[in-house]
Amino acid sequence: MDWRYMLGLAEGVILGVLFSAGIGAVRGGWVPRATRGRVIRRRLWGQGLLVLTASLALPLIALALLGTGALYFAASFAGGTGMITGAVVMHRATRDRRRGSAATGAY
């Protein structure tokens, strides 16, 4: 098998896991055990994860469909902006809305 095929397959699996974790957080409030103690607003965290996952996939899908060029650059720029936005939203989910402080991290 070609290494590019295996790399794309691995990327698809990782994006699928991230997407399913985001859906689980938005729909049912489920958060992975490693972040469970820090996340206060679980649905907001899931929305941030979904934005982050979509922005990771956007440049790669654009590269596969469009090739290199101006549209690929625009998709990469939009993907980078989405990654920053998703990370900020996920960080806001760890902050207490009333106090503005971070979670204690107690499990």
Side-chain angles (χ1 to χ4, degrees):
M1 273 196 221
D2 190 22
W3 66 273
R4 289 172 282 210
Y5 177 75
M6 294 300 292
L7 189 62
L9 187 63
E11 176 193 0
V13 168
I14 290 170
L15 289 175
V17 167
L18 289 174
F19 182 75
S20 61
I23 291 293
V26 169
R27 297 279 297 166
W30 178 85
V31 178
R33 183 174 294 183
T35 60
R36 194 169 294 156
R38 294 185 294 265
V39 175
I40 295 173
R41 296 183 277 174
R42 295 177 177 200
R43 292 178 197 255
L44 182 64
W45 185 86
Q47 292 168 353
L49 186 60
L50 288 175
V51 169
L52 184 70
T53 304
S55 62
L56 284 172
L58 180 66
L60 301 165
I61 292 171
L63 180 63
L65 296 178
L66 304 171
T68 58
L71 289 177
Y72 171 67
F73 176 75
S76 296
F77 189 74
T81 305
M83 282 186 246
I84 293 170
T85 304
V88 166
V89 169
M90 289 174 70
H91 176 71
R92 291 298 298 163
T94 64
R95 314 285 288 176
D96 191 1
R97 189 177 355 186
R98 292 165 284 167
R99 289 184 233 152
S101 62
T104 60
Y107 291 80

